[in-house]
Amino acid sequence: MSPFEFITIFCSLILGLALTHIFRAVSDLYEIRDRVSTYWLNSLWVVTVSMWTIYSWWGLWSLSLDMDTWNYAQYWFLVVNLASIYFFTTLVLPKATDEGKIDLEEHYYSVRKAFFSIVAFSLFTSTVLNHYLFGLPLATPQVIMPSIVGLAAIGAALNESKTYHKVIGVFMLLMFIAFQLTDVVVITFVS
């Protein structure tokens, strides 16, 4: 077993649990859709965090190319970053209940401080990982973009304005799409 395989088994498990949580929550809420009041911004964040989780797993491939040795601090920092992704995925949607109405707009604003604080933490640790673990220069999109979006997330944690949240939700999705488009990783299998 290579160091990459050993490291990514646990990392994949964390990201798999995050996606499982989102998929299950969407499915559960769909089953009780008559009692769910939807909110477009919440739905936008479900899409964004799903894409983020999937992309994070994709990004782990670069570790197979660049890192032959690991120390515990590097591994711990990577796990903490991925755990933050799991934590914000658990906040994006509420648990389905057996009775009563579920208002996704109310849920969004009730968890926004915790959600965006964790998102900011995840983005800033991604910046550090991209620079120190993946060896990317400071003046690259993979270092600059998460920092900018992290600052916007801090603003969202502190700001109650619905207009701000709507603008930031769209902005963060567009930034995330742009971030993914800058990725040049190609996975090649050698037989």
Side-chain angles (χ1 to χ4, degrees), residues 14-15 17-23 25 45-46 48-50 52-53 82-94 107 115 118-119:
I14 294 168
L15 295 172
L17 288 171
L19 278 177
T20 299
H21 179 81
I22 291 173
F23 295 160
W45 274 106
V46 169
T48 302
V49 300
S50 297
W52 189 336
T53 305
L82 297 176
S84 68
I85 293 170
Y86 174 81
F87 288 128
F88 67 67
T89 62
T90 64
L91 292 174
V92 75
L93 286 171
H107 172 77
F115 177 78
I118 297 168
V119 165

Side-chain angles (χ1 to χ4, degrees), residues 121-158:
F121 174 82
S122 184
L123 287 161
F124 291 133
T125 57
S126 293
T127 297
V128 173
L129 284 171
N130 287 336
H131 179 63
Y132 290 107
L133 198 59
F134 291 100
L136 298 173
L138 289 174
T140 59
Q142 293 81 8
V143 176
I144 294 170
M145 291 170 91
S147 299
I148 292 168
V149 179
L151 292 172
I154 290 172
L158 300 174

Side-chain angles (χ1 to χ4, degrees), residues 16 21 24 27 30 34 56 58 83 103 116 118-119 128 131 135 149 156 164 166 180:
H21 179 81
R24 179 61 191 243
S27 176
Y30 180 76
D34 296 338
S56 295
W58 173 265
D103 185 336
F116 284 106
I118 297 168
V119 165
V128 173
H131 179 63
V149 179
Y164 181 84
K166 291 172 185 175
Q180 289 180 66

Side-chain angles (χ1 to χ4, degrees), residues 108-109 112-113 116 152-165 168:
Y108 175 87
Y109 290 103
R112 73 168 171 77
K113 286 182 182 180
F116 284 106
I154 290 172
L158 300 174
N159 194 325
E160 295 181 20
S161 166
K162 289 185 178 188
T163 301
Y164 181 84
H165 278 269
I168 286 303

